[in-house]
């Protein structure tokens, strides 16, 4: 049986993430979407919300499940019995950013990284850009799976601004 882990913060889960998940599900018997905490990012959505949204978006995909990554990705992969890590690429900058992580994961756990080229029609979609568009009142419904836009907008209305006051 082949199992791949598709890790990310998924804050929020986007149509680009869904595209990569679908492509990975054609390559591997099982794809585990690993919702991780990125220590260099301050998430808009908590882990429980990110897990719920990713599960809803992928509910109809065979062989896909969503789990939290509590610590190091390589430990999660080892415990899951992963054959590979899947990373989506939108362009050359993604490859440059992902290569050192792929090499470190191979060094630490012997797990290989498989790069999946995302749909060019979705290459402009990044979670950070989705949040920025929503933060300034833009429509994000065409960038994320059903239900995600409402959760993002709700989180933005309760999130403190830089001055500390709620929006």
């Amino acid at each position: 049986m082949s199992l791949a882990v598709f890790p990310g913060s998924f804050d929020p889960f986007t149509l680009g993430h869904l595209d990569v998940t679908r492509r990975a599900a054609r390559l591997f018997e099982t794809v585990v979407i690993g919702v991780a905490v990125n220590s260099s990012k301050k998430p808009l959505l908590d882990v429980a919300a990110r897990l719920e949204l990713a599960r809803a978006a992928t509910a109809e995909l065979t062989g896909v499940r969503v789990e939290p990554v509590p610590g190091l990705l390589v430990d999660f992969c080892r415990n899951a019995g992963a054959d590979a890590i899947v990373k989506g690429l939108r362009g050359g900058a993604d490859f440059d950013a992902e290569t050192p992580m792929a090499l470190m994961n191979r060094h630490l756990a012997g797990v290989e990284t498989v790069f999946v080229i995302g749909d060019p029609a979705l290459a402009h979609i990044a979670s950070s850009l989705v949040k920025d568009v929503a933060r300034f009142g833009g429509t994000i419904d065409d960038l994320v799976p059903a239900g995600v836009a409402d959760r993002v907008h709700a989180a933005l209305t309760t999130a403190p601004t830089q001055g500390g006051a709620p929006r």
Side-chain angles (χ1 to χ4, degrees):
M1 181 166 146
S2 64
L3 184 145
V5 173
F6 176 28
S9 55
F10 304 108
D11 185 40
F13 198 81
T14 69
L15 293 179
H17 295 133
L18 185 56
D19 173 58
V20 171
T21 303
R22 284 185 178 131
R23 291 167 188 269
R26 289 194 300 258
L27 299 172
F28 297 93
E29 291 177 62
T30 304
V31 175
V32 179
I33 297 173
V35 178
V37 175
N38 185 331
S39 60
S40 65
K41 295 181 182 178
K42 184 176 183 336
L44 175 65
L45 301 170
D46 63 24
V47 172
R50 290 183 277 146
L51 289 164
E52 177 188 332
L53 292 170
R55 285 178 180 137
T58 60
E60 296 188 18
L61 297 178
T62 302
V64 175
R65 65 180 194 257
V66 181
E67 297 179 14
V69 177
L72 280 178
L73 176 60
V74 293
D75 292 336
F76 181 81
C77 289
R78 193 177 296 117
N79 292 336
D83 300 298
I85 295 170
V86 169
K87 293 293 194 108
L89 298 180
R90 293 169 292 206
D94 285 350
F95 180 76
D96 291 342
E98 295 293 344
T99 298
M101 288 184 277
L103 294 171
M104 182 59 74
N105 290 330
R106 184 172 67 197
H107 171 78
L108 292 174
V111 65
E112 294 292 344
T113 299
V114 174
F115 294 115
V116 175
I117 306 299
D119 184 337
L122 303 173
H124 63 289
I125 302 175
S127 292
S128 59
L129 294 175
V130 168
K131 288 183 285 193
D132 284 345
V133 170
R135 193 171 280 119
F136 291 102
T139 301
I140 61 169
D141 297 88
D142 58 340
L143 305 173
V144 295
V148 174
D150 291 339
R151 291 293 284 276
V152 168
H153 288 296
L156 286 169
T157 61
T158 60
T161 62
Q162 288 181 337
R167 296 191 115 199

